[in-house]
Amino acid sequence: MHDIQKCGSNNEDAGSSQNIIEINNLSLGFEIDEKFYPAIHSVNFDIQRGKIHAIVGESGCGKTMTVMSILKLLPKNAKITNGEILFENRNILSLKDKDLRKIRGRKIALIPQDPMTSLNPLYTIENQMIETVLLHNNVSKKEAYKIALNALEDVEIVNPKERMKAYPHELSGGMKQRVIIAMALSSKADVIIADEPTTALDVTIQAQILKLLSGIKKSGKSIILITHDLGIVKQYADFVSIMYLGKVVEEAPADALFSNPKHPYTKALLAALPTIKGKKLENIKGNPSPITKPVAGCPYHPRCKNAKEVCSQKIFTLKTQADGSKVACKLYE
């Protein structure tokens, strides 16, 4: 790996704290038809240095909105109502735009969900990568070209000089995703947000991209992995936060979560995970409620096999268990 892979560990604050990002009591909602609907409810989790932290849940559970709050890249009708997001001892949510721009891309980079639409079809890979490097680094254009070329080599693109001259439509989906990752690396970011980074890719390319992200982690960078694929989480993540209807219902080291899941929702997700044993898959009955129809009490209770009357009346908060995991459920109060 070239130097761009190592600069995350050169941060002045490195080693001073185990956590590089701390999200505390984050709440947000949306204005819809002149009414405000809460969507994220008092979310808490920490991102450790040099680890992959997966945020998992069904579509619409709030995982992407929660993580995009870190960069304040939210829809216009979204409003953060409470909480703080600490990065380098500063609350990102209180920063002015000019200070936030120094963090976006430069210290916290984003690998967007769809590589097909993330690159401008009118410009070559060279033009787009050099522009990214110049935006986040105080270097000459010649130095920017070298950084971009090194980044392409780091993501194992064959013949990087030739690829630099190509237009996006001349590259495969997997190649485009590697270019997007290379752009994130060239910014020298300490944290990389990967939003469903393998969704549009075939299985073979998925494995290559995830192996690449795992290698990036070894350089000391932190990765926030947004996904609904527990198979990927089991193989690559260090920590897992399970979200349901805007709440974190369980959080644990990946090994503990898969060996001893606690929340009924986590158990249901794992029961629906295909295995090579030929086990019959179980469906989770019903669908998550839309934010326009809020659920009283535990948000999962309408679909939960273990629900009791109290579950429709009380909101349970995360409680730390003996093995270090945290769970928000009546069964573990």
Side-chain angles (χ1 to χ4, degrees):
M1 287 286 185
H2 296 89
D3 288 343
I4 59 169
Q5 284 287 80
K6 302 175 182 176
C7 55
S9 60
N10 293 334
N11 191 316
E12 291 179 356
D13 294 324
S16 62
S17 172
Q18 190 177 17
N19 301 326
I20 191 165
I21 291 178
E22 297 178 6
I23 297 179
N24 301 318
N25 296 314
L26 178 69
S27 297
L28 68 85
F30 296 92
E31 290 277 356
I32 302 174
D33 295 331
E34 299 183 349
K35 291 184 179 180
F36 184 79
Y37 296 96
I40 305 298
H41 310 275
S42 300
V43 165
N44 295 273
F45 59 79
D46 301 327
I47 305 301
Q48 292 192 11
R49 297 177 186 276
K51 302 293 183 182
I52 296 179
H53 192 125
I55 314 296
V56 181
E58 294 171 277
S59 297
C61 72
K63 54 188 186 292
T64 295
M65 287 298 102
T66 298
V67 175
M68 290 305 161
S69 298
I70 296 172
L71 295 173
K72 294 181 76 173
L73 294 176
L74 297 170
K76 289 184 178 180
N77 66 332
K79 181 181 179 182
I80 294 173
T81 56
N82 189 47
E84 62 178 9
I85 299 176
L86 300 179
F87 175 71
E88 295 184 339
N89 299 317
R90 293 191 296 173
N91 181 10
I92 288 176
L93 301 183
S94 65
L95 294 180
K96 296 180 179 179
D97 286 345
K98 66 175 184 178
D99 294 319
L100 190 57
R101 284 195 293 269
K102 296 176 182 178
I103 293 176
R104 276 197 200 128
R106 186 175 298 182
K107 295 191 174 184
I108 303 176
L110 172 65
I111 300 172
Q113 185 171 138
D114 187 0
M116 309 301 177
T117 59
S118 299
L119 295 169
N120 192 322
L122 301 179
Y123 295 92
T124 64
I125 301 304
E126 179 178 341
N127 287 338
Q128 296 182 63
M129 289 202 66
I130 287 178
E131 182 182 8
T132 300
V133 174
L134 292 174
L135 182 63
H136 300 301
N137 301 274
N138 184 23
V139 295
S140 67
K141 195 169 182 178
K142 184 178 179 180
E143 291 172 316
Y145 176 86
K146 184 177 180 180
I147 291 173
L149 189 66
N150 287 344
L152 291 180
E153 291 175 353
D154 285 339
V155 298
E156 300 175 3
I157 285 183
V158 180
N159 299 324
K161 288 185 179 180
E162 292 181 20
R163 300 301 182 191
M164 289 274 271
K165 295 180 174 64
Y167 287 86
H169 73 270
E170 298 177 296
L171 305 180
S172 66
M175 197 73 74
K176 290 177 187 176
Q177 190 65 296
R178 288 173 187 267
V179 170
I180 295 295
I181 295 172
M183 285 182 172
L185 293 179
S186 66
S187 68
K188 303 182 180 180
D190 299 310
V191 180
I192 294 176
I193 296 171
D195 185 5
E196 300 278 8
T198 61
T199 296
L201 307 176
D202 64 50
V203 176
T204 303
I205 304 301
Q206 279 186 20
Q208 294 174 3
I209 296 299
L210 290 164
K211 184 178 179 182
L212 180 61
L213 290 176
S214 185
I216 292 170
K217 179 192 78 169
K218 293 177 182 178
S219 70
K221 297 180 185 293
S222 304
I223 296 174
I224 304 173
L225 177 63
I226 304 171
T227 184
H228 63 273
D229 191 328
L230 281 166
I232 288 174
V233 173
K234 184 175 183 179
Q235 189 168 358
Y236 294 98
D238 298 294
F239 298 94
V240 189
S241 294
I242 304 290
M243 290 191 70
Y244 188 81
L245 286 187
K247 290 181 66 67
V248 176
V249 296
E250 184 166 358
E251 183 175 287
D255 290 345
L257 185 114
F258 283 93
S259 63
N260 186 21
K262 295 178 175 61
H263 197 279
Y265 179 56
T266 307
K267 292 178 180 179
L269 289 176
L270 291 175
L273 183 66
T275 67
I276 60 174
K277 299 176 183 178
K279 181 189 70 172
K280 182 180 178 181
L281 303 182
E282 297 181 23
N283 292 326
I284 305 176
K285 294 182 179 180
N287 295 295
S289 176
I291 63 171
T292 53
K293 296 181 179 179
V295 177
C298 170
Y300 186 60
H301 87 264
R303 305 172 73 188
C304 182
K305 295 179 180 179
N306 305 102
K308 305 295 182 184
E309 185 177 352
V310 67
C311 299
S312 65
Q313 302 166 353
K314 182 178 179 181
I315 297 175
F316 301 99
T317 57
L318 288 171
K319 302 290 184 183
T320 303
Q321 307 302 306
D323 63 357
S325 63
K326 299 176 182 178
V327 60
C329 179
K330 173 189 176 297
L331 301 174
Y332 295 90
E333 281 284 284

